[in-house]
């Protein structure tokens, strides 16, 4: 068995070398830390051409046994989850490992009695309440594949995801609380299900005590579903490579893809990365502010921490309710030791004034993390100086839905820190920077395409229902490499700085959207002929969305049309994807072959029209003048 935790920078260097020289021995040793029904016949079998990646081949396990049962003897009374409600006046709720085990078994039994079987897909559309954690784990307990959909997506986006996964069941609630708002969820599910024939059952948790419509035969209340279901639920034995979950994410083309993660590799890597990046110690209190609707919540609220026997806080609310001190109040209240949030939250709280931070005792903090988008220098320093009091390690975690776990980051307080640099790759991770022609860049401080040249345990296995799409998207740009879609630089010491997406993906407040996805939504508006959207820098959100829209007729009232277009986007995707600026144009800058020159639109959106570059290949260069003149 190989110990999981690295304890110095020298140790990191040595572990890294071992992991590269002999990955099978390295990861086989780490995997010995977990409980298996049957050990593997082979640690790794892979090629990036098909692609096919199999870790711990032939092994059998259940991930929830490693998160729950394994800890019961020693940590049964330890808090597994502390749930902090949206309303400061409402009571928090804690689940010890024993209580979480009991709740998961009970709900897993309920799922079985409602007809869910191993391999069935279950869609979760829930608020950040303990039932979401319980439902995720209950699915994993019985080998059902969970697909969590962030509860800010619209009925249409939800329907797309349910249809693609052919989910048999949806688990939701009447509605949710977010700050001062109460938002309906069940009615969104009802609307989505008008177009989803695969769904046989809907389990509804009463979160707001609303009196809602329940469809006879299809819908059942959570509390009715769990009646008489208490008691153990044997964990279903899973093959190492069986699917654990699907999580939809946006790419440069088409509809969102269902990224698939499998049981064993994801388990080993999320626990390994959590314990190393956060240098978690047994008595620590850890808090990640993400939503479980995104990968960060999957890997670093639930799986990584609970596999490690940690205490993980789950927060229902938002950073600015009831005021901009809420995060810091919670840190002080629970004496949080490790804290993880997104740059967008850091920037917005930075803008709210230092007094909100200074009011609270943050002396418990040891490691503070940033994830989801590049962190700018100003935000990094504020986070380090104010929140971390200059004494905490800032770990900047670079990774993706597809990578399952953190790939490049500082490890606790012993990695060198450099503002805006994510740092060094974790053991087992081999990032490279490629030129456009696919050659590896060796020089320092040169920007290139960030790719990864060998598999790690939690790499995505496929995109649900369409393996070819997985191959084309991630493994065909450069033969033999996983393509991340990000641009990055490496300094002379080997530290990486992530620049951002180089494909048509926009990162708004850490949320990924494909330009095509938003354009398709805008084009649903009756008067819209075509549109092109690009991202532009935004001081709080990182990026914001700028839409160039061509309509069939002259728009009499532009403001009205803008509101309508936003409504269409909210309906098709959700309010999280609203374009901030909408400019009506008579045409888009297209090449003679019909390709939109986004480069020009990006410049206009950035307000930098001094150097638009070569426009000679445009079909109609005059449209550029018009676009520039009327830029917002
Ligand atoms: C970006 C979120 C810079 C990046 C975990 C990546 C980052 C995309 C960082 C994945 C970071 C994530 N620094 N950029 N620390 N973390 N990104 O799938 O562009 O929601 O490709 O996963 O977010 O977003 P996703």
């Amino acid at each position: 068995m190989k110990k999981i935790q690295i304890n110095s920078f020298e140790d990191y260097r040595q572990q890294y070398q071992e992991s590269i020289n002999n990955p099978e021995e390295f990861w086989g040793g780490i995997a010995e830390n977990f409980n298996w029904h049957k050990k593997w016949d082979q640690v790794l079998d892979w090629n990036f051409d098909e692609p096919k990646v199999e870790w711990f081949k032939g092994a059998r396990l259940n991930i929830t046994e490693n998160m729950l049962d394994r800890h019961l003897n020693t940590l049964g009374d330890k808090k597994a989850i502390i749930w902090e409600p949206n309303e400061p006046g409402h009571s928090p709720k804690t689940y010890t490992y024993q209580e979480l085990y009991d709740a998961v078994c009970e709900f897993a039994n309920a799922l079985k009695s409602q007809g869910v079987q191993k391999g069935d897909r279950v869609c979760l559309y829930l608020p950040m309440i303990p039932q979401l954690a319980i439902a995720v784990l209950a699915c994993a307990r019985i080998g059902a594949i969970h697909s969590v959909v962030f509860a800010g997506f619209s009925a249409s986006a939800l329907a797309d995801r349910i249809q693609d996964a052919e989910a048999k069941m949806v688990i939701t609630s009447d509605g949710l609380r977010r700050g001062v708002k109460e938002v309906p969820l069940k009615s969104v599910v009802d609307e989505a299900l008008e177009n989803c024939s695969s769904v046989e059952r809907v389990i509804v948790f009463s979160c707001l005590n609303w009196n809602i419509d329940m469809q006879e035969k299809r819908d059942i209340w959570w509390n009715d579903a769990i009646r008489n279901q208490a008691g153990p639920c044997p964990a279903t034995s899973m093959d190492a490579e069986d699917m654990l979950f699907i999580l939809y994410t946006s790419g440069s083309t088409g509809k969102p893809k269902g990224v698939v993660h499998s049981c064993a590799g994801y388990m080993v890597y999320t626990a390994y990365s959590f314990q190393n990046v956060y240098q978690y110690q047994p008595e620590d209190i850890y808090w990640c502010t993400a939503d479980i609707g995104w990968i960060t919540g999957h890997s670093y609220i639930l799986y990584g921490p609970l596999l490690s026997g940690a205490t993980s806080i789950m927060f229902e609310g938002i950073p600015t309710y009831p005021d901009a001190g809420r995060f810091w109040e919670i840190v002080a209240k629970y004496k949080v030791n490790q804290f993880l949030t997104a740059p967008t939250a850091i920037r917005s709280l930075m803008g709210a004034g230092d007094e909100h931070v200074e009011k609270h005792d943050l002396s418990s903090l040891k490691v503070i993390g940033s994830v989801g988008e590049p962190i700018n220098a100003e935000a990094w320093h504020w986070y380090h100086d104010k929140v971390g009091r200059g004494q905490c390690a800032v770990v900047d975690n670079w990774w993706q839905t597809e990578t399952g776990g953190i790939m490049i980051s500082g490890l606790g307080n012993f990695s060198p820190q450099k503002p805006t640099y994510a740092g060094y790759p974790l053991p087992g991770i081999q990032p490279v920077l490629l030129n456009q022609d696919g050659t590896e860049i060796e020089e320092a401080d040169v920007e290139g395409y960030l790719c990864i040249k060998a598999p790690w345990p939690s790499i995505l296995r496929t995109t649900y229902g369409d393996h070819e799409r997985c191959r084309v998207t991630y493994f065909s740009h450069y033969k033999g490499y996983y393509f991340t879609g990000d641009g990055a630089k490496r300094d002379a010491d080997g530290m990486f700085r992530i620049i951002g997406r180089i494909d048509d993906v926009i990162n708004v407040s850490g949320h990924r959207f494909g330009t095509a996805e938003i354009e398709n939504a805008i084009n649903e508006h009756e008067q819209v002929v075509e549109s092109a959207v690009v991202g532009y820098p935004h001081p709080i959100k990182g990026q914001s969305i700028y839409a160039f829209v061509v309509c069939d007729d002259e728009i009499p009232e532009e403001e009205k049309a803008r509101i309508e277009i936003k409504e269409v986007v909210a309906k098709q995707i959700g309010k999280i994807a609203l374009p901030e600026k909408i400019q009506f144009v008579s045409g888009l800058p297209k090449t003679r072959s019909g390709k939109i020159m986004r480069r020009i639109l990006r410049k206009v959106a950035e307000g930098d029209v001094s150097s638009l570059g070569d426009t000679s290949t445009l079909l109609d260069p005059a449209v550029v003048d018009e676009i520039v003149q009327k830029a917002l």
Side-chain angles (χ1 to χ4, degrees), residues 67-69 71-73 75-83 92-108 130-131 133-135 137-138 222 226 230-232 306 311:
M67 302 165 81
L68 301 170
D69 313 49
H71 302 314
L72 291 185
N73 278 341
L75 306 175
D77 294 333
K78 181 175 174 174
K79 289 173 186 150
I81 292 179
I82 300 176
W83 177 72
K93 189 158 173 46
T94 63
Y95 286 80
T96 63
Y97 273 91
Q98 181 68 50
E99 287 164 343
L100 186 60
Y101 168 85
D102 292 341
V104 168
C105 283
E106 179 182 57
F107 194 63
Q131 285 68 29
I134 292 164
L137 269 57
W222 177 290
I226 60 172
L306 298 181
T311 300

Side-chain angles (χ1 to χ4, degrees), residues 366-369 380 384 388 391-395 411-415 417:
K366 297 191 284 194
V367 179
I368 54 179
W380 193 98
H384 177 262
Q391 290 165 22
C392 296
V394 174
V395 289
L411 307 182
N413 60 13
F414 52 72
S415 295
Q417 294 194 39

Side-chain angles (χ1 to χ4, degrees), residues 249 295-296 370-375 396-402 422 484-486 498 500-501 507 510 512:
T249 191
I295 192 69
T296 304
S370 168
V371 66
E373 26 161 351
I375 181 164
D396 180 0
N397 308 160
W398 174 79
W399 59 298
Q400 310 178 294
T401 305
E402 295 86 343
T484 67
D486 280 318
I498 313 301
R501 301 291 303 202
N507 190 330
R512 277 168 68 169

Side-chain angles (χ1 to χ4, degrees), residues 363-576:
S363 60
S364 56
L365 288 173
K366 297 191 284 194
V367 179
I368 54 179
S370 168
V371 66
E373 26 161 351
I375 181 164
N376 52 308
E378 191 190 359
W380 193 98
H381 284 290
W382 183 82
Y383 197 37
H384 177 262
D385 298 348
K386 289 289 162 190
V387 178
R389 307 165 334 278
Q391 290 165 22
C392 296
V394 174
V395 289
D396 180 0
N397 308 160
W398 174 79
W399 59 298
Q400 310 178 294
T401 305
E402 295 86 343
T403 70
I406 299 166
M407 306 290 281
I408 300 181
S409 173
L411 307 182
N413 60 13
F414 52 72
S415 295
Q417 294 194 39
K418 187 165 168 182
T420 76
Y421 278 72
Y424 292 101
L426 266 67
I429 310 304
Q430 297 188 58
V432 293
L433 298 176
L434 299 186
N435 277 318
Q436 198 138 22
D437 65 8
T439 51
E440 288 191 23
I441 298 173
E442 305 291 344
E443 308 93 287
D445 301 318
V446 177
E447 192 178 334
Y449 299 141
L450 181 60
C451 292
I452 300 171
K453 75 177 184 196
W456 60 98
S458 62
I459 187 174
L460 86 162
R461 299 304 197 262
T462 189
T463 45
Y464 192 78
D466 191 352
H467 192 64
E468 177 62 6
R469 193 167 177 204
C470 173
R471 189 188 69 77
V472 170
T473 311
Y474 306 107
F475 299 93
S476 69
H477 291 75
Y478 299 109
K479 196 174 154 41
Y481 296 94
Y482 165 80
F483 178 73
T484 67
D486 280 318
K489 280 190 209 180
R490 185 178 39 212
D491 72 7
D493 300 323
M495 291 177 85
F496 283 86
R497 175 182 185 171
I498 313 301
I499 313 284
R501 301 291 303 202
I502 41 148
D503 54 4
D504 290 326
V505 171
I506 307 180
N507 190 330
V508 184
S509 300
H511 303 154
R512 277 168 68 169
F513 300 103
T515 50
E517 194 186 355
I518 300 171
E519 288 158 8
N520 289 339
I522 294 175
N523 298 351
E524 289 290 313
H525 185 282
E526 266 193 343
Q527 270 186 285
V528 173
V529 178
E530 60 174 342
S531 59
V533 310
V534 295
Y536 69 97
H538 184 280
I540 307 264
K541 300 178 188 171
Q543 278 189 300
S544 215
I545 300 167
Y546 194 127
F548 298 87
V549 178
V550 182
C551 291
D552 54 4
D553 276 320
E554 193 72 3
I555 301 281
E557 287 178 69
E558 290 201 348
E559 254 339 284
K560 185 163 161 278
R562 286 196 179 96
I563 291 169
E564 285 170 9
I565 287 173
K566 286 184 184 175
E567 277 166 6
V568 179
V569 175
K571 190 160 184 300
Q572 295 291 320
I573 307 174
K575 286 198 182 125
I576 47 176

